[in-house]
């Protein structure tokens, strides 16, 4: 389904009757309503960042629900799409943290290709209806992904922005890993502790301390 080592790691999920029933239901929704991201991008985060290569995880809630925005990576939008406010604030914090100026586009594929798993807890959404697919059946899959990443011997940095992502911290128990928690980059909470939290430098400092290559956040 994915085309890399995630297929083996998630085989128990793919083959479970419960997930197969849920997935067929979600795919049927595409024939009835406008659902984002497009079918081919639902598992984009896993396709771009293999289990073996994952060294940073950025947890989002669910895909953007506006036209042409979502393409399967948390907080990312396709090239040519206006930057959502949360992503604008992520870029502002990146500039304040590492003096990397904001880019003109919001496509974070370059992060994903360096080992940053841009994982939404819910992988689909109905157009213009935020959180419309929450609690339908995606969470057991994405929780399982975090659980098996927690088992990795190699260090992983988990960046949890906002209360929804913060809930995932209980799944991360391996002392090899590093958890960064702050308010969400949304305009409603960015000034309550997201700005100045320095997640990008903290991530790179931890990776370097463990002998791993840092992320080039400018890409």
């Amino acid at each position: 389904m994915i085309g890399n080592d995630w297929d083996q790691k998630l085989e128990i999920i793919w083959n479970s009757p419960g997930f197969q029933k849920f997935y067929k239901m979600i795919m049927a929704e595409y024939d009835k309503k406008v659902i984002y991201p497009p079918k081919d991008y639902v598992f984009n985060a896993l396709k771009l960042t293999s289990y073996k290569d994952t060294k940073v995880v950025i947890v989002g809630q669910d895909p953007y629900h506006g036209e042409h925005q979502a393409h399967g990576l948390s907080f990312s939008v396709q090239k040519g799409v206006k930057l959502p406010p949360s992503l604008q604030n992520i870029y502002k914090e990146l500039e304040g943290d590492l003096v990397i100026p904001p880019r003109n586009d919001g496509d974070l594929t370059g992060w994903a290709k360096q080992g940053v798993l841009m994982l939404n807890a819910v992988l689909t959404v109905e157009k213009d209806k935020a959180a419309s697919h929450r609690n339908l059946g995606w969470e057991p899959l994405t929780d399982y992904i975090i659980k098996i990443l927690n088992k990795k011997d190699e260090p992983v940095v988990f960046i949890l922005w906002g209360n929804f992502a913060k809930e995932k911290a209980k799944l991360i128990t391996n002392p090899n890993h590093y958890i960064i928690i702050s308010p969400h980059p949304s305009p409603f909470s960015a000034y309550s502790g997201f700005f100045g939290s320095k997640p990008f430098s903290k991530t790179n400092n931890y990776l370097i301390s463990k002998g791993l290559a840092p992320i080039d956040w400018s890409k």
Side-chain angles (χ1 to χ4, degrees):
M1 186 177 290
I2 305 302
N4 58 30
D5 56 5
W6 282 115
D7 284 320
Q8 181 180 3
K9 293 293 182 181
L10 300 175
E11 185 175 13
I12 190 171
I13 298 288
W14 301 149
N15 294 332
S16 68
F19 181 80
Q20 289 185 4
K21 180 180 179 181
F22 158 73
Y23 189 63
K24 287 179 181 177
M25 181 270 289
I26 288 292
M27 291 299 103
E29 287 292 291
Y30 277 87
D31 298 327
K32 306 171 189 174
K33 304 172 183 176
V34 178
I35 306 297
Y36 298 130
K39 284 184 181 180
D40 291 345
Y41 290 101
V42 171
F43 297 111
N44 204 23
L46 300 176
K47 290 177 180 179
L48 288 172
T49 312
S50 69
Y51 174 85
K52 176 179 66 70
D53 291 337
T54 297
K55 53 186 178 182
V56 181
V57 182
I58 298 181
V59 179
Q61 182 167 328
D62 63 342
Y64 295 119
H65 52 82
E67 191 173 7
H68 302 308
Q69 291 181 311
H71 65 129
L73 304 179
S74 61
F75 297 101
S76 180
V77 293
Q78 300 189 68
K79 285 184 171 67
V81 175
K82 182 180 178 181
L83 299 186
S86 291
L87 185 52
Q88 291 181 38
N89 287 338
I90 289 170
Y91 282 174
K92 286 178 184 177
E93 176 59 19
L94 179 58
E95 183 171 27
D97 187 5
L98 292 175
V99 201
I100 294 174
R103 289 165 34 194
N104 293 324
D105 69 81
D107 187 348
L108 304 180
T109 298
W111 295 3
K113 290 181 176 180
Q114 295 180 74
V116 182
L117 181 65
M118 312 291 296
L119 182 68
N120 278 315
V122 174
L123 300 186
T124 54
V125 69
E126 185 177 344
K127 180 183 178 181
D128 298 331
K129 294 184 179 180
S132 51
H133 285 185
R134 189 175 183 181
N135 296 325
L136 292 184
W138 284 121
E139 289 89 347
L141 168 65
T142 54
D143 281 357
Y144 187 76
I145 289 170
I146 292 175
K147 288 177 183 177
I148 62 173
L149 285 169
N150 180 58
K151 294 180 180 179
K152 286 190 75 165
D153 292 327
E154 299 86 1
V156 177
V157 179
F158 291 86
I159 300 176
L160 309 179
W161 288 329
N163 290 331
F164 188 87
K166 185 179 177 180
E167 294 174 4
K168 307 302 181 187
K170 63 180 180 289
L171 306 175
I172 307 160
T173 58
N174 188 334
N176 289 339
H177 306 322
Y178 181 43
I179 303 174
I180 299 172
I181 296 175
S182 80
H184 195 276
S186 158
F188 299 106
S189 54
Y191 287 95
S192 299
F194 174 75
F195 288 135
S197 60
K198 300 186 179 299
F200 307 103
S201 60
K202 287 178 180 177
T203 294
N204 280 353
N205 289 340
Y206 190 76
L207 293 175
I208 291 168
S209 76
K210 298 298 181 180
L212 300 174
I215 304 299
D216 183 350
W217 299 106
S218 68
K219 291 186 176 180

